């Protein structure tokens, strides 16, 4: 059997995906609008107890059309697994499109129209799910949560809230000179604190003793993206723990226009 994500057949989600913001609200100078909006990952059937707010989609997400399926997604799937949450979650991003350029993400944190559409998702998800905890990945997502809190629906939310470092914080910190091992240790200490705060607050799908992270991320700390989270028929290697999509190009414009997809060497049935 191959479970799959049926998508956005029914309202309120059908209405949200039918009427998404375009380049008038997400300028093409600051967002990779050419790859289309990518809306969510996880349950839309009213069973989500954890609502995750990510940042913006990247290359893998542009192909699978679901968010948080690359490195960040696999790391955070492992975090949820430690809480016993295997299926009862739903995720949206702060931004519907991939941010283009380092400062673009920060430049649009106060955009009312971006927030209004995102609030449509948050309101729908909160209204239709028994959400026990909201978890924001990174500063932009934290800002998105607090912006929503200023609305009537956001103010009425009474569940738990945790803001954690973004799953790829170590990678971005290392690229700006921080020692990679220290950056990873910082992420994992931050996540351990959030795990401790959330443990017992969220009803698990599978009760398991909390196993905190050490100072390095081990393969056992990652979890595979469930098949049921992706559109029907996507091959299993798209959920594997290896990278398979990357932006390529000799010029910025070519790189923006090109995502190379390559099946990981150990996942090829023809070799
Ligand atoms: N991919 C996403 O969809 N969101 C993130 O925050 C990071 C990667």
């Amino acid at each position: 059997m191959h479970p799959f994500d049926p998508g956005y057949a029914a309202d309120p989600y059908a209405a949200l995906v039918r009427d998404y913001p375009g380049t008038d609200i997400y300028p093409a100078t600051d967002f990779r609008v050419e790859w289309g909006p990518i809306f969510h990952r996880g349950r839309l059937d009213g069973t989500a107890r954890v609502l995750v707010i990510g940042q913006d989609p990247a290359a893998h997400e542009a192909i699978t059309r679901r968010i948080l399926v690359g490195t960040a997604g696999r790391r955070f799937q492992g975090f949820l697994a430690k809480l016993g949450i295997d299926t009862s979650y739903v995720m949206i991003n702060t931004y519907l499109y991939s941010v283009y350029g380092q400062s673009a993400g920060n430049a649009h944190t106060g955009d009312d129209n971006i927030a209004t559409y995102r609030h449509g998702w948050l309101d729908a998800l909160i209204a239709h799910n028994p959400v026990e905890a909201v978890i924001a990945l990174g500063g932009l997502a934290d800002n998105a949560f607090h912006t929503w809190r200023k609305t009537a629906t956001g103010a009425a939310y009474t569940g738990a809230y945790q803001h954690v470092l973004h799953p790829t914080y170590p990678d971005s910190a290392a690229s700006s000179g921080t020692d990679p091992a220290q950056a990873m240790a910082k992420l994992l200490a931050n996540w351990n604190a959030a795990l401790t705060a959330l443990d017992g607050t969220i009803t698990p799908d599978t009760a398991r003793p909390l196993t905190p992270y050490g100072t390095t991320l081990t393969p056992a700390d990652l979890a595979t993206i469930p098949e049921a989270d992706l559109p029907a028929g996507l091959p299993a290697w798209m959920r594997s723990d290896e990278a398979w999509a990357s932006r390529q190009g000799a010029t910025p414009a070519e790189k923006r226009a090109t995502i190379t997809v390559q099946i990981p060497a150990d996942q090829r049935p023809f070799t």
Side-chain angles (χ1 to χ4, degrees):
M1 295 297 278
H2 293 281
F4 62 91
D5 176 10
Y8 312 98
D11 282 344
Y13 310 108
L16 283 162
V17 304
R18 207 179 286 124
D19 189 16
Y20 62 80
T23 49
D24 49 335
I25 288 171
Y26 277 95
T29 44
D30 288 346
F31 294 96
R32 295 182 168 97
V33 285
E34 61 279 7
W35 290 94
I38 307 162
F39 299 102
H40 102 294
R41 175 160 75 80
R43 310 286 78 71
L44 295 181
D45 61 358
T47 62
R49 291 193 300 279
V50 179
L51 167 53
V52 179
I53 309 176
Q55 186 174 298
D56 68 305
H60 290 79
E61 289 80 12
I63 307 301
T64 60
R65 311 313 295 176
R66 294 294 182 272
I67 70 163
L68 284 159
V69 296
T71 303
R74 290 191 304 272
R75 285 181 187 167
F76 199 68
Q77 198 75 31
F79 177 101
L80 292 174
K82 284 181 187 286
L83 289 169
I85 294 294
D86 301 324
T87 54
S88 302
Y89 54 80
V90 65
M91 309 176 176
I92 61 164
N93 276 328
T94 301
Y95 294 126
L96 214 42
Y97 301 93
S98 181
V99 167
Y100 184 69
Q102 293 208 330
S103 54
N106 292 328
H108 294 277
T109 49
D111 285 14
D112 285 344
N113 289 330
I114 289 179
T116 299
Y117 181 77
R118 190 174 58 229
H119 293 166
W121 272 91
L122 289 169
D123 289 353
L125 292 171
I126 289 289
H128 295 277
N129 292 277
V131 173
E132 296 170 339
V134 177
I135 307 175
L137 311 182
L140 294 175
D142 182 46
N143 186 277
F145 175 78
H146 287 294
T147 305
W148 176 68
R149 281 295 253 173
K150 293 186 189 124
T151 68
T153 351
Y157 170 70
T158 53
Y161 175 67
Q162 284 291 311
H163 163 212
V164 297
L165 285 174
H166 191 274
T168 55
Y169 160 79
D171 311 66
S172 32
S175 69
S176 41
T178 305
D179 173 61
Q182 269 178 18
M184 183 56 83
K186 182 173 168 181
L187 174 83
L188 299 178
N190 174 268
W191 282 16
N192 276 340
L195 284 174
T196 305
L198 290 169
D199 191 34
T201 305
I202 305 170
T203 315
D205 296 317
T206 311
R208 50 180 77 105
L210 181 61
T211 314
Y213 294 95
T215 50
T216 59
L217 190 72
T218 70
D221 293 326
L222 299 173
T224 301
I225 309 300
E227 190 168 17
D229 282 18
L230 296 186
L234 290 198
W237 54 263
M238 288 197 173
R239 299 180 290 110
S240 81
D241 289 343
E242 294 166 80
W244 50 264
S246 59
R247 299 189 196 279
Q248 304 281 339
T251 64
E254 252 184 58
K255 193 167 178 187
R256 190 170 160 161
T258 311
I259 294 176
T260 299
V261 172
Q262 190 174 47
I263 303 176
D266 60 356
Q267 311 256 343
R268 301 174 185 171
F270 50 86
T271 53

